[in-house]
Amino acid sequence: MKRFLVFIWILLTSGLYPQSLDFSGYLRNYSGMRAGNGNTDFVILQNTFSLNMEKNMGGSAFKINTMLYHNGSANDSILFKLREAYLDLYFDKFDIRIGKQQIVWGKADGVFITDIVSPKDLYEFLLPEFDEIRIGVTGIKLNYYLGDSGFEIVWLPVFNPTNSPEQNSIWYPSSGLNLAAAPDLSEQNVAASLKNSEIFLKYSSLTGVIDFELMAGYTWDDDPAMFFSMTPDPSGISLTVNPEYKRISLAGGSLSSTLGPLVIRSEAAYYFGKYFNTANPATDNGTIVKDYIHYMLGADFMLWDINFSAQYIQKAIIDYEPVIISNNLFNGQYSDMMTFLAKYSMLNETLNLELFTYYDFEFDDSLIRPRVLYDYSDSINLQFGANIFTGEKGQFGQFDKNDMIYGKIIYSF
Amino acid sequence: MKTLRLITFLVALLVLNSNEFYPQKLTGLQIMEKVYDRPEGNDMTSNLTMTLKNDSGDERVRKIKQFTRDFGTMEKKIMFFISPADVKNTSFMNWSYSRQGQDDDQWIYLPALKKTKRISSESKSDYFMGSDFTYDDLGDRQPNEDSHKLLKEEKYNSDDCYVIESKPEQLDYMYSRTVSWVAKDKWIVLKKEFYDEDGDLLKTLTVKKFENISGILVVTHTEMKNVQKNHQTIMDLKNVNINSGIEDSKFTERIMTRGL
């Protein structure tokens, strides 16, 4: 299958295509070296070719976005990804998009609250650009417009979960459950059927005073629930873990508005029926079902010619019981986090300095990402940066040994 | 009889003193109001090319397709970035209001993030796409935001011009003053000097070409030179269409995300 896809990709890029197709994309060289703790190994030696093929035919359009990854640090392996391949049909009051597509909802940056239609690709944790973190989903999207407002309905016949890294990857996450062996997710796919399909609905409005979205979804939890089972064996009792994807529903919304020099943003979702693990594996296979709220309050502003953005994010389990055990994403009833972004442009926007940080109050861990971006020309962009993990536990602290410096050269066309 | 003669004389004096015979000199404010009120048509479509040149002579080119429409109490503008490649399909929408003191509403659509973001319009001193034009330079600054003084009248190239000095009413404005050369019969600013907060010359704008399109004078070639940085931006407007009847639906998030 992969060979077939590579063949299609080569065919499309070999000059046999219709001239009216619009081509764009980039070629990127990305090298990263672990730093600190005595590490100097090159964990990333990657060459990437991204190609967009688009055609607008007035009442319809299509887009294909392919990615080809060459990993020099992993035996010269080549990975082909079809990120998007869809057809658009435009009508007077509504549009339909059919095929594999990335769908982005909400007003939060770098956190996923109502933005859950497209699952995440965490092969390199949260370090890739955000458009690379989202996985395209196969389905139908219908937009019905009412002036500056509109409805959006998304139907996905196939469930795609979060893509986790391989177990030998430095980005393989700890489950936070103190398991002897990592659970095997490979056999846990949800069959594509009408019964298993996902549906999302959104109403959004963009006005002079406020922009807002109201949404609801009947979906699958992108992360599997862990079911424990105890079986007697000659040495006593052995504990096995069976991961299983479970249904989840949510309703929420987001807004943004200006308040003088501030752009204020907020986003919230109420999740119905999330499986949490308990300290008692003998009851309900060590699980308990609870609702939780996930919300964000944020502001963007400019000070001393620097663009700042700050967000406070909290998750709160409703009707919390102390038997619930912590994992990397939930620590007790309340989980608090913040993000911070500072950006400064100079030399007529050819040189940009950037600092993005996640900080988790519960685990006292963080990810600090300073970066320098320089436009050598209109086509060539150079980047140098670092990923610094602090703490010992939590979603960032677990990667404390993965501090990294990196460089990227990107040629856009 | 003497009374009748006296009345006739006074009436004649009044007539002779009227504006018809002795036109009153326009004030600086009146001149800048005429510039502000100059007809621009109900809507406009154009292709904008910005060429940025640094002191080494290196050039960078930005291409934009833009649509503007006057809705009476507000003006809506939408821009689609065509090049360079890394900003292709990015779009920007601005709603500006004629009501005094009401800030513009602005959004940017970032195709990589697939997200339309509301941005603050307060930062009018920001430079547009790395050019020498700030967002404020590109907008229509209302005349009553500055105090204006007619300095002199002189020829600039072949045009008779008023030379107006404008000082901001707001103390923290990015320019301490500007000096504009306004063509008398066209109400177009042909040249403008921008002075920084220390009173030193910062930038000079020169209009190189304007054209009569559908009965409207449109500036189609301008150059802005930052004399302190020795950096220059050339703006060229091509394929200008006036009053072509752009639909309301053009200025929506739907079109921002769909693109051209």
Side-chain angles (χ1 to χ4, degrees), chain A residues 22 56 84 90-92 95 102 106 108-109 131 145 148 206-208 211 260 263 302 348-350 378 413, chain B residues 60-62 85 88 105 107 112-115 117-118 120 122-123 126-127 130-131 231 252 254 258 260:
Chain A
D22 185 11
N56 192 330
E84 289 191 293
Y90 304 134
F91 300 90
D92 183 32
D95 299 335
Q102 289 187 351
D109 291 333
D131 56 321
Y145 301 99
D148 293 315
L206 185 147
T207 72
D211 310 336
V263 175
M302 182 179 255
N348 287 80
E349 293 184 13
T350 53
D378 274 347
F413 59 94
Chain B
R60 292 188 293 147
V61 179
R62 276 95 186 81
K88 190 182 175 188
D105 288 302
W107 298 267
L113 296 179
K114 295 193 185 297
K115 210 172 208 180
K117 292 192 73 149
R118 178 181 280 266
S120 172
E122 286 263 320
S123 310
D126 272 8
Y127 285 91
S131 73
H231 193 278
T252 58
R254 179 190 193 183
R258 186 200 289 183
L260 288 167

Side-chain angles (χ1 to χ4, degrees), chain A residues 378, chain B residues 51-54 57-61:
Chain A
D378 274 347
Chain B
T51 307
L52 283 57
K53 289 183 182 176
N54 67 13
D58 299 330
E59 285 190 5
R60 292 188 293 147
V61 179

